[in-house]
Amino acid sequence: MNTGRYEYVREGPEIYRRSFATIRAEAELDGMPPEVAGVAVRMIHACGMVDLVADLAWSPNAVLAAREALRAGAPVFCDAEMVAAGITRRRLPAANDIVCTLGDQRVPELAQQLGTTRSAAAMELWADRLEGSVVAVGNAPTSLFRLLEMVDEGAGRPAAVLGLPVGFIGAAESKQALAEHPALEHLVVHGRRGGSAMAVAAVNAIASEQE
């Protein structure tokens, strides 16, 4: 019996059911490929903004390429510890490595040498494992810019890049650059919006192969 002061839904499964029903009723998902719509729903659930779909853009094979890479055992490279921590490991199909090198002890000196942010410098430690990987950028635009530079310089090409950095300086520009890159499968949210929660939601949706 509810003896509390407030009336609210208390059952977890019911909250979950109503949440996704609300998203599907309010978001403009028509015309999206089913696999992209599934990812979009999860991302909206993470941020609470049904209008997110207006800024969502993707290359034709982005979600399927990322899903296939995960099935094949590809690592997931993350620009921020929050992204790495949020990925649900039990959903990953091949006990995939989740890698974030931002806290590596080599990064501060490397950033100083290169004259860039630590987030961008941390990318350098991925170079020999990028080929066929899944990359999730949910925080730093400099990370995404550096990733694009590395690919142009001959580093391995990821299977897919989830480009979702957030912010006012460089976020929109870095995502536009990814969307225009001719060699990378991508999913982006154009503009300033993004963040670790969205990146995590995208990876988890791709890994779970549902919704």
Side-chain angles (χ1 to χ4, degrees), residues 78-85 99-100 102 123 126 136-140 143 196:
C78 309
D79 71 317
E81 292 289 355
M82 285 190 293
V83 179
V99 181
C100 178
L102 186 58
M123 302 285 121
W126 302 357
V137 178
N139 183 45
S143 294
S196 296

Side-chain angles (χ1 to χ4, degrees), residues 11-176:
E11 298 80 17
E14 181 63 7
I15 293 171
Y16 186 89
R17 184 193 69 78
R18 290 194 195 183
S19 295
F20 283 94
T22 299
I23 292 168
R24 291 192 176 278
E26 296 185 5
E28 296 289 340
L29 301 172
D30 293 345
M32 280 188 178
E35 70 277 6
V36 177
V39 175
V41 167
R42 294 284 181 172
M43 291 172 67
I44 292 168
H45 187 246
C47 70
M49 296 177 283
V50 295
D51 66 334
L52 189 74
V53 294
D55 292 328
L56 191 66
W58 61 91
S59 58
N61 296 314
V63 172
L64 296 179
R67 188 164 286 160
E68 185 60 31
L70 293 179
R71 287 175 179 165
V76 182
F77 288 108
C78 309
D79 71 317
E81 292 289 355
M82 285 190 293
V83 179
I87 295 171
T88 306
R89 282 155 173 77
R90 62 180 170 77
R91 289 183 179 174
L92 296 172
N96 309 71
D97 287 342
I98 301 172
V99 181
C100 178
T101 52
L102 186 58
D104 190 287
Q105 62 183 2
R106 295 168 289 179
V107 167
E109 182 178 353
L110 189 57
Q112 188 173 23
Q113 291 174 354
L114 298 174
T116 190
T117 66
R118 293 186 182 187
S119 295
M123 302 285 121
E124 307 293 333
L125 305 182
W126 302 357
D128 61 348
R129 296 184 65 193
L130 275 175
E131 183 68 36
S133 66
V134 175
V135 177
V137 178
N139 183 45
T142 55
S143 294
L144 185 51
F145 274 128
R146 183 57 192 144
L147 174 67
L148 299 179
E149 291 172 346
M150 290 169 64
V151 170
D152 290 342
E153 291 165 3
R157 187 175 68 184
V161 180
L162 310 176
L164 302 165
V166 61
F168 296 92
I169 307 301
E173 293 83 355
S174 66
K175 288 179 281 191
Q176 186 65 40

